[in-house]
C-alpha cells in the first residue's frame, strides 16, 4: 500500500540531503587545493580555482584533484532528476522494485562520489569501490520501471485513484 510506495521518496529525500552535505566537501576542497596551489607557486590561483569557476582551470596536480572532487558533486545533478522521476513514477506500479532500484542508485552514487573524491586527480580510479557501479544499475532500473509504470497506467491496467 501507501507505506510501501513511500519508501522510494524517503530514499530519494535521503539521497538529496546527502547531496547537499556533499556540496560542503566541494567547498572545502576548493579552498584546500587553491591554498596548496598558492603555496606551490602556481600563478593566478584565485582566477583559476575560486568561484564563479565551476572547475579549476589548468592541469596541475591540484587543479586535477579539485576537479575530481567537483565532478563527484556535479555528476549527481546529471543523474538525480532522472532517478527521481523514474523512481517516483515506477513506485506507482512497482513500489518494492522501485525502492530497491533507488537504493541501488543511492548506494552506488555514494561510493562513486567517494571514489572521485579520493582519486587525487586520477579520475580513472573513481570506481575503486565495487558498489560504485550500482549507481548505473539503479539509474537504468528506475528508467525502466518508470517507463513501464507509465505504459501500464496509460493502458488503463492500473488506476491512479
Amino acid at each position: 500500500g501507501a507505506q510501501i510506495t513511500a519508501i522510494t521518496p524517503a530514499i530519494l529525500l535521503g539521497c538529496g540531503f546527502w547531496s547537499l552535505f556533499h556540496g560542503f566537501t566541494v567547498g572545502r576542497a576548493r579552498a584546500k587545493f587553491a591554498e596548496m596551489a598558492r603555496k606551490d607557486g602556481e600563478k593566478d590561483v584565485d582566477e583559476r580555482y575560486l568561484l564563479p569557476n565551476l572547475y579549476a582551470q589548468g592541469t596541475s596536480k591540484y587543479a586535477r584533484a579539485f576537479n575530481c572532487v567537483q565532478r563527484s558533486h556535479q555528476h549527481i545533478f546529471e543523474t538525480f532528476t532522472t532517478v527521481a522521476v523514474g523512481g517516483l513514477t515506477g513506485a506507482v506500479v512497482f513500489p518494492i522494485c522501485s525502492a530497491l532500484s533507488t537504493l541501488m542508485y543511492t548506494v552506488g552514487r555514494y561510493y562513486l562520489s567517494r571514489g572521485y573524491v579520493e582519486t587525487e586527480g586520477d579520475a580513472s580510479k573513481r570506481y575503486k569501490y565495487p558498489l560504485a557501479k550500482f549507481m548505473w544499475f539503479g539509474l537504468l532500473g528506475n528508467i525502466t520501471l518508470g517507463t513501464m509504470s507509465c505504459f501500464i497506467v496509460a493502458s488503463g491496467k492500473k488506476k491512479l485513484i
Side-chain angles (χ1 to χ4, degrees), residues 92-106:
V92 171
V93 178
F94 308 104
I96 295 172
C97 291
S98 291
L100 291 173
S101 184
T102 302
L103 183 63
M104 279 180 33
Y105 168 84
T106 301

Side-chain angles (χ1 to χ4, degrees), residues 1 3-13 15 80 82-107 134-135 137-150 152 158:
Q3 292 84 4
I4 292 174
T5 306
I7 294 171
T8 298
I11 295 168
L12 288 168
L13 287 168
C15 186
F80 188 75
T82 303
V83 166
V85 171
L88 294 171
T89 307
V92 171
V93 178
F94 308 104
I96 295 172
C97 291
S98 291
L100 291 173
S101 184
T102 302
L103 183 63
M104 279 180 33
Y105 168 84
T106 301
V107 168
F134 278 37
M135 187 215 72
F137 297 122
L139 174 67
L140 292 173
N142 277 11
I143 291 170
T144 303
L145 292 165
T147 302
M148 289 171 48
S149 185
C150 285
I152 290 170
K158 168 89 176 173

Side-chain angles (χ1 to χ4, degrees), residues 104-126:
M104 279 180 33
Y105 168 84
T106 301
V107 168
R109 175 75 267 162
Y110 169 79
Y111 281 107
L112 182 58
S113 291
R114 187 172 165 188
Y116 258 124
V117 169
E118 296 173 2
T119 64
E120 297 179 359
D122 183 358
S124 68
K125 296 178 182 176
R126 67 191 180 276

Side-chain angles (χ1 to χ4, degrees), residues 4 7 16-18 20-22 35 39 48-49 52 58-59 68 81 86 90 102 107 111 120 143 151-153 155:
I4 292 174
I7 294 171
F17 191 68
W18 167 78
L20 172 68
F21 281 95
H22 184 59
E35 184 59 31
K39 286 182 180 177
R48 292 177 40 239
Y49 283 82
T59 58
C68 281
T81 303
T102 302
V107 168
Y111 281 107
E120 297 179 359
I143 291 170
F151 281 122
I152 290 170
V153 170
S155 73

